[in-house]
Amino acid sequence: MASRKAASKYQVTGLIINVGYSPSLRQISSIVTQLRKDVPEFAALVSKDVRASLLGKGADDILVPINPRKSKSIAEAWGAVHALMAHELVTDCEPAVQVPSEQEPPLPATLKSGGSNHDAPGSEKQEWSVDLVHARSAWSQFSVSGKGVKVGHPDTGYTRHPEILDSRLLVAEGYNFEEDSADPLDPLKGSGTGHGAATASVIMANSTNSPRVFGVAPAVKLVPLRVSDSVVHFNFSNVAQALYRARDRKCHLVSMSLGGPWAGRSLGRAVDTVIADGLILLAAAGNKWPWVVYPALFDNVVAVAACGPGFKPWRSSAAGPAVDITAPGDSVWRAMTNKKGAEKYPVKRSSGTSYAVATTAGVCALWLEHHGVAELQARYGGRLAAVFLSLLKASVTEVPGWDASAYGPGVLNATKLLETSLPALGAASRKTGMATPANAQGIQAIDRLQKYFPELTLQQLAKATTAILGDRAKGRGQAKVKNQAPSRPTLMDEVEFYVATDAGVRAAFLAAGGKGKTRAGLKSATSQPAKALEALASEPLRQLIKA
């Protein structure tokens, strides 16, 4: 069965435990020791001498690494999560799961932002993308270039490409969370080779020195934060740590040309925390994905879709009501780094929402410089991100026939944004809405899954959920099973995880909802929907399915 084979793709690297306050190192040690004593499922995965740490300064999430020699399966990790959630020391818990970039799961599509085989007509000039968003006119009209603004940049790291190798590239302030080292240099491995340098060039390249890439904010400073070898993320613990690092290094905005179909609540808490401290976060909507991915899917993160020359939406851009704005992403000129070959540092065109969000981040830097970072933060505080998003959406280039329900109200326009007056009070700060779930059953369960099934109506999804999880998923009461304890709230966390990350499970829900198409390798999964999930599930979830 496809889902059984898929189980081996998950590599559990740790558990993220929320305790509701920010503990000291001594307290962290005591907490882990007590949990190992009280929770056998946890002790089976974690060594006695484990080096647990906070995700960031002031965070209340503890990252506990899994002993590679003890790690067994994704089901056992979720079993430990469920058991930990019953402990009085634990407020929330989730697994940190890595999917190796060379073994990316067989989802409906991929988030890769690699080079395009087709360059869009009208993209021949290197400056087309900055002209489409009126960045060059903003430079001259408002005398802005991003000076005095610092961008946090979680990605694959930096390379020594001439387009970004500048004193404004603040390597010493960055960090390598992937290898846990000080230097965030991209080792050029995995599916995201050179991606960090490529997206950085779109933000910061100085066209006056090197006219091959027109960076939107050619005087901005950038802090490289290496978080992965791929732009496809299933373990957001590195990204969460990078957000805290960006805040601690006094970054003013964070540009995230990355994403994934599932994110735990710890990422949401990190997002809320740094935004409350006055940062603006922007992220890619995703490539070829049936829904907008995390972290762009969070309400308080600017979600950016992609278009090409002539304001034509890029055919591979993720779309939907979660998109806030669209920016150039089809055939954008960027710095390319080759591991081998005669030409190591060329400049070529590439496509992806990665470049759309980098372009928007550059415009954000121009806006911050124009009004003054200190003045904006003093005036709006934790509402600054909401104020920026409100003005951003109100100052777009409106395109005839534009589908606002899929691509936001229009296309990014730097000049109109800088012309727009600041509000007296500004928009209210938005939260991620990723609080600990109150229950795992009822209509709330269906609502949590709906974003993953744009093909299904709510009624069809209710039908599928009932077929796979039983009547309790529709709120008809819990089926009573002898000697079975009530299902834990985190069971729906586990269901959501597999729906988002395993093609067989998602196909089973589609089939059970009346929209699935049986394909080779998924036949048994779709003909017996519950089996697709049961093959991966932890013991508590397996009991729920069988009930």
Side-chain angles (χ1 to χ4, degrees):
M1 172 185 303
S3 292
R4 289 187 185 276
K5 293 179 180 178
S8 62
K9 76 170 176 268
Y10 298 110
Q11 291 185 358
V12 184
T13 60
L15 296 173
I16 300 175
I17 300 173
N18 184 273
V19 293
Y21 65 99
S22 185
S24 66
L25 288 175
R26 180 175 295 182
Q27 288 172 321
I28 291 173
S29 178
S30 297
I31 290 168
V32 172
T33 298
Q34 190 65 48
L35 292 176
R36 288 190 78 256
K37 179 181 177 181
D38 297 344
V39 184
E41 296 91 340
F42 178 65
L45 298 175
V46 175
S47 301
K48 183 178 180 180
D49 58 350
V50 64
R51 296 181 63 185
S53 60
L54 291 177
L55 284 181
K57 184 179 180 181
D60 49 11
D61 284 299
I62 303 170
L63 176 60
V64 185
I66 292 292
N67 185 337
R69 291 173 294 182
K70 290 191 174 187
S71 182
K72 297 177 182 178
S73 71
I74 182 63
E76 287 169 301
W78 274 109
V81 167
H82 302 321
L84 286 165
M85 283 290 287
H87 199 283
E88 63 179 4
L89 293 179
V90 178
T91 302
D92 199 4
C93 187
E94 64 196 48
V97 183
Q98 185 66 41
V99 180
S101 57
E102 66 272 13
Q103 297 179 19
E104 288 171 2
L107 289 170
T110 176
L111 275 170
K112 292 179 183 177
S113 291
S116 173
N117 294 324
H118 171 73
D119 292 326
S123 65
E124 294 81 11
K125 293 183 178 180
Q126 287 94 332
E127 65 270 27
W128 81 264
S129 58
V130 296
D131 286 343
L132 190 79
V133 300
H134 301 276
R136 286 207 296 179
S137 62
W139 297 343
S140 58
Q141 183 175 337
F142 298 98
S143 299
V144 290
S145 57
K147 187 176 181 179
V149 179
K150 188 186 293 188
V151 179
H153 191 237
D155 212 301
T156 63
Y158 74 97
T159 72
R160 296 185 175 88
H161 199 295
E163 297 291 329
I164 66 168
L165 200 60
D166 187 287
S167 60
R168 295 177 295 111
L169 184 69
L170 307 180
V171 173
E173 294 190 28
Y175 197 77
N176 185 339
F177 293 98
E178 186 72 359
E179 280 82 32
D180 192 21
S181 65
D183 189 0
L185 182 67
D186 189 339
L188 303 179
K189 63 180 182 179
S191 62
T193 300
H195 187 270
T199 52
S201 70
V202 174
I203 298 171
M204 66 173 291
N206 189 336
S207 59
T208 60
N209 296 331
S210 179
R212 300 187 302 169
V213 176
F214 281 75
V216 180
V220 80
K221 295 179 179 179
L222 186 138
V223 178
L225 300 160
R226 174 164 157 72
V227 295
S228 180
D229 291 323
S230 170
V231 295
V232 186
H233 283 251
F234 297 88
N235 174 7
F236 276 101
S237 60
N238 283 351
V239 177
Q241 292 178 87
L243 290 179
Y244 288 113
R245 176 86 175 195
R247 177 204 60 186
D248 295 343
R249 292 298 177 269
K250 311 266 184 220
C251 292
H252 305 116
L253 68 142
V254 179
S255 180
M256 295 177 280
S257 293
L258 49 80
W262 178 86
R265 285 180 290 275
S266 61
L267 179 63
R269 287 187 285 268
V271 165
D272 282 346
T273 298
V274 300
I275 285 179
D277 286 335
L279 275 73
I280 299 172
L281 308 186
L282 309 94
N287 300 351
K288 303 179 182 178
W289 212 267
W291 60 82
V292 173
V293 297
Y294 289 103
L297 192 55
F298 289 131
D299 285 343
N300 50 3
V301 175
V302 181
V304 189
C307 70
F311 305 106
K312 182 179 179 181
W314 182 47
R315 62 181 181 179
S316 296
S317 175
V323 169
D324 292 310
I325 199 166
T326 294
D330 183 6
S331 304
V332 173
W333 290 85
R334 88 323 186 193
M336 181 179 179
T337 306
N338 292 319
K339 190 172 184 178
K340 299 178 180 180
E343 191 177 15
K344 189 171 184 179
Y345 299 120
V347 167
K348 295 184 179 181
R349 283 170 279 185
S350 185
S351 298
T353 54
S354 287
Y355 309 113
V357 70
T359 299
T360 308
V363 170
C364 179
L366 302 181
W367 180 78
L368 289 170
E369 180 194 3
H370 175 58
H371 292 291
V373 175
E375 290 83 354
L376 287 169
Q377 290 183 337
R379 183 172 182 175
Y380 298 115
R383 293 179 291 118
L384 181 57
V387 170
F388 173 73
L389 178 58
S390 177
L391 297 181
L392 186 72
K393 296 173 73 171
S395 59
V396 297
T397 297
E398 297 180 356
V399 181
W402 188 257
D403 185 354
S405 66
Y407 299 102
V411 175
L412 177 66
N413 188 314
T415 301
K416 288 181 67 175
L417 174 65
L418 271 61
E419 287 174 341
T420 304
S421 300
L422 295 174
L425 297 175
S429 178
R430 297 195 285 180
K431 301 293 185 181
T432 64
M434 293 289 282
T436 304
N439 60 60
Q441 286 81 42
I443 194 66
Q444 293 90 344
I446 299 172
D447 282 350
R448 286 184 62 180
L449 297 180
Q450 191 172 23
K451 59 180 171 288
Y452 300 108
F453 296 100
E455 308 94 330
L456 299 180
T457 65
L458 187 61
Q459 292 74 21
Q460 289 172 324
L461 182 55
K463 174 185 174 183
T465 306
T466 301
I468 294 174
L469 299 178
D471 282 349
R472 73 189 68 192
K474 287 177 62 178
R476 295 179 181 174
Q478 296 188 17
K480 294 183 179 180
V481 180
K482 187 177 181 180
N483 298 326
Q484 180 183 328
S487 57
R488 294 294 303 162
T490 49
L491 292 182
M492 186 49 65
D493 289 346
E494 186 178 355
V495 172
E496 184 178 354
F497 172 83
Y498 289 125
V499 164
T501 63
D502 186 84
V505 174
R506 187 173 185 275
F509 271 83
L510 288 172
K515 288 285 187 177
K517 294 182 180 179
T518 300
R519 307 196 311 267
L522 294 178
K523 185 175 181 180
S524 58
T526 54
S527 62
Q528 300 182 54
K531 296 296 182 183
L533 185 58
E534 187 180 343
L536 293 163
S538 65
E539 186 58 33
L541 181 56
R542 205 172 289 125
Q543 290 180 19
L544 174 68
I545 296 169
K546 291 180 177 179

